[in-house]
Amino acid sequence: MPLRGMCSVTARVCASGKLKAGDRSFPAGKLTGGEKMPLVPVVPVVPAVRAGGRCACLPPDAAAGAREKPWLLQGAHPWKKVMADFFHGRLGFRGDPRPPENASPMGFRTLAACVEALRREGAAVVCDEPVDPHLEIAEIQRRLYRAGGPAVLFSRPRGCAFPVLVNLFGTRTRVERIFAATIDRVRRLVELKIDPAAAATRPWRYWRAPLDALTMLPRRVRRGPSRACPIALSALPHVVCWPGDGGPFMTLPCVYSEEPGSPGTRRSNLGMYRVQLAGNDYAPDGEVGLHYQIHRGIGVHHTRALERGEPLRVSITVGGTPAYTVAAMMPLPEGLSELTFAGALAGHRIPMIAVPGRPAVYAEADFVIEGTILPHPKPEGPFGDHLGYYARRHDFPALRVERVSHRPGAIWPMTVVGRPPQEDTMFGWLVHELTGPVIPTVLPGVKSVHAVDAAGVHPLLLAVGSERYQPWRRAGRPAERHTQASSIHGQGQRS
């Protein structure tokens, strides 16, 4: 799978430090899919920072400082440092990670704001060289992730007017940086769910919990930038990740639906289900494929719509606050709206545009597809899946597209899935980081769990159980642990 047009920035960040200025090619090796990687001519690396940070390569000393102390800010006001030290040192927060001083205390509201903050810190670069959405962008993304490289914004993808962002969640440090202003607040909310009495015994730790709880309430608005600029479906970036894929896919889509008969955000569902933008039997510029399986909340809404003899309408978005993307893939209990979690992680109430006769639309999204699920499924796939093989072509729901729009200055975020580890490894880590302490309250007797990333997260889960009911028995054949294993098998996507 030869690559063309590799830019100097990508060459620098893809080679794990082995490619230096003046090198002309990558060494021969293996692609993620197992194909032989040919020698790829590249432009000699210029280890300098262009004006404005375009195609910037951060100096090694600055890069090291950014990795060790991502909250460092050039030119911060002294009084801000003093107040931060005061609150972290004298009000019970000593030892907590300090949020970056140049991050909004309410988190990032838009994807563009997040990218700009990362760019200023050297954690993201902008590539102005033309790149091909057909296979090339995806291969660069895979190499970026393996090398621990920065997020890259391709400003000139061939055949498309919108920039494409890759590797946003590519490292643990960057994920922690993106949510630095709010992740500890979410942890405290989780702690209170486990032990509500802690609010009385440690009030100095949970003093702002009521304020954080308010951010979990979605906010209805009349208009928003996400519906400002109507476009055709074919104008969206059509990125193909693997040679055997059935067409271009959206790999970070947030699919939103509301319960038929009970419209509104309270009983809504937000999920990440891959979307095929073209190919197979889909009507050009009019239909997309929507892939969802068992234990997906949208399936409950679809079933109830069929029972009522109504069509199910959905809105699909990409972009916006990174917290919205993370919330879409969180395995929350059925009936709990993902918008509540998104608000807590974002640090602000999620604005949803009220659209008469249709489900609400996320106001700060970069792109929106609105439509109605067709009464009969259509073939979807193949798709290079996260287990390292192609999911074959099968019948799945299809969506009749009725409106496509974007916000001014929109950015198209994407990821690549395939044989682990890939960027979605960071999603699995973040889910465990935030929800791990809750496991013993959901599964009594289970002390901890670990989803094995090398197996693709879903197929293999390690659990530490206990035997509590027959203490007189000697250690031997498991008894209660059998019931714990059955409980785990029946939980959501693990079934």
Side-chain angles (χ1 to χ4, degrees):
M1 187 196 309
L3 303 182
R4 302 172 299 282
M6 182 74 74
C7 70
S8 60
V9 171
T10 307
R12 180 181 175 89
V13 299
C14 280
S16 302
K18 298 179 181 178
L19 184 65
K20 300 178 181 179
D23 286 351
R24 300 295 301 179
S25 64
F26 288 105
K30 292 278 190 177
L31 293 182
T32 307
E35 303 91 340
K36 282 286 185 180
M37 181 176 68
L39 292 176
V40 182
V42 296
V43 181
V45 177
V46 181
V49 182
R50 291 194 211 165
R54 309 291 287 186
C55 278
C57 294
L58 201 66
D61 54 343
R67 284 193 297 269
E68 295 171 4
K69 298 181 180 181
W71 54 82
L72 287 178
L73 170 66
Q74 307 297 328
H77 294 293
W79 66 268
K80 290 185 178 180
K81 297 179 183 292
V82 172
M83 293 300 293
D85 290 341
F86 175 79
F87 279 102
H88 281 264
R90 296 192 59 189
L91 291 185
F93 302 134
R94 188 180 299 276
D96 291 342
R98 182 182 304 178
E101 295 174 9
N102 62 335
S104 165
M106 303 299 286
F108 297 113
R109 290 184 175 270
T110 66
L111 183 59
C114 177
V115 172
E116 176 60 20
L118 294 177
R119 187 192 63 80
R120 289 197 303 266
E121 299 170 8
V125 295
V126 179
C127 178
D128 293 321
E129 298 292 329
V131 289
D132 195 342
H134 184 79
L135 303 181
E136 185 177 20
I137 288 180
E139 178 59 23
I140 294 173
Q141 146 71 14
R142 288 189 285 268
R143 298 190 193 189
L144 280 167
Y145 176 76
R146 291 198 298 269
V152 175
L153 183 68
F154 296 107
S155 62
R156 297 175 59 193
R158 290 194 180 101
C160 181
F162 300 102
V164 175
L165 176 68
V166 301
N167 209 39
L168 176 64
F169 303 100
T171 67
R172 185 176 300 188
T173 299
R174 190 151 60 248
V175 172
E176 291 173 338
R177 163 63 184 94
I178 291 172
F179 302 113
T182 57
I183 193 168
D184 282 324
R185 301 178 190 176
V186 175
R187 288 192 180 107
R188 292 187 178 103
L189 291 175
V190 172
E191 291 170 4
L192 286 179
K193 176 172 177 56
I194 298 173
D195 182 15
T201 59
R202 303 179 66 188
W204 58 90
R205 178 170 177 80
Y206 303 107
W207 67 272
R208 66 165 297 130
L211 301 178
D212 295 333
L214 290 177
T215 65
M216 300 173 70
L217 301 176
R219 179 168 58 94
R220 305 284 286 191
V221 297
R222 293 184 179 181
R223 61 184 65 88
S226 63
R227 302 183 90 236
C229 308
I231 55 170
L233 180 65
S234 56
L236 298 177
H238 281 42
V239 181
V240 178
C241 297
W242 294 100
D245 281 357
F249 283 84
M250 299 170 64
T251 51
L252 288 177
C254 301
V255 184
Y256 176 84
S257 61
E258 296 177 355
E259 182 175 323
S262 302
T265 58
R266 184 177 180 183
R267 296 186 179 180
S268 63
N269 178 77
L270 180 67
M272 187 170 289
Y273 321 120
R274 70 175 183 253
V275 175
Q276 185 171 348
L277 290 172
N280 295 348
D281 300 331
Y282 302 123
D285 244 346
E287 294 176 354
V288 298
L290 194 56
H291 181 105
Y292 54 86
Q293 300 182 3
I294 190 172
H295 285 296
R296 303 309 196 265
I298 188 175
V300 176
H301 291 174
H302 196 177
T303 299
R304 291 180 181 170
L306 294 176
E307 292 172 350
R308 294 170 58 89
E310 301 175 356
L312 180 65
R313 296 180 172 88
V314 302
S315 63
I316 305 171
T317 62
V318 291
T321 175
Y324 195 83
T325 301
V326 172
M329 57 84 190
M330 287 293 294
L332 299 180
E334 188 174 315
L336 178 62
S337 172
E338 289 78 8
L339 295 182
T340 60
F341 179 86
L345 190 58
H348 61 264
R349 299 174 66 187
I350 299 299
M352 302 295 291
I353 304 172
V355 183
R358 306 195 61 84
V361 173
Y362 175 36
E364 296 290 352
D366 285 70
F367 294 89
V368 181
I369 299 175
E370 301 172 63
T372 302
I373 294 180
L374 297 173
H376 302 290
K378 288 193 172 186
E380 184 262 0
F383 177 74
D385 215 337
H386 67 277
L387 297 181
Y389 65 87
Y390 285 103
R392 296 185 177 181
R393 178 168 163 160
H394 292 288
D395 285 349
F396 280 98
L399 185 78
R400 181 176 66 248
V401 176
E402 294 159 355
R403 193 178 193 276
V404 183
S405 58
H406 68 89
R407 67 178 300 140
I411 296 173
W412 183 268
M414 62 152 288
T415 189
V416 181
V417 297
R419 184 178 301 164
Q422 299 288 346
E423 187 181 6
D424 55 359
T425 294
M426 295 297 104
F427 290 155
W429 165 79
L430 183 59
V431 169
H432 186 269
E433 183 76 9
L434 295 176
T435 64
V438 183
I439 295 297
T441 67
V442 178
L443 299 168
V446 176
K447 298 178 180 179
S448 62
V449 298
H450 172 67
V452 181
D453 177 67
V457 178
H458 294 297
L460 181 60
L461 185 76
L462 305 180
V464 178
S466 59
E467 298 286 345
R468 301 170 299 167
Y469 295 118
Q470 295 178 322
W472 61 87
R473 291 185 59 183
R474 293 181 179 180
R477 296 181 60 185
E480 184 186 357
R481 280 173 288 177
H482 277 307
T483 66
Q484 294 162 0
S486 297
S487 297
I488 291 173
H489 276 298
Q491 289 288 325
Q493 299 178 15
R494 290 172 294 280
S495 60

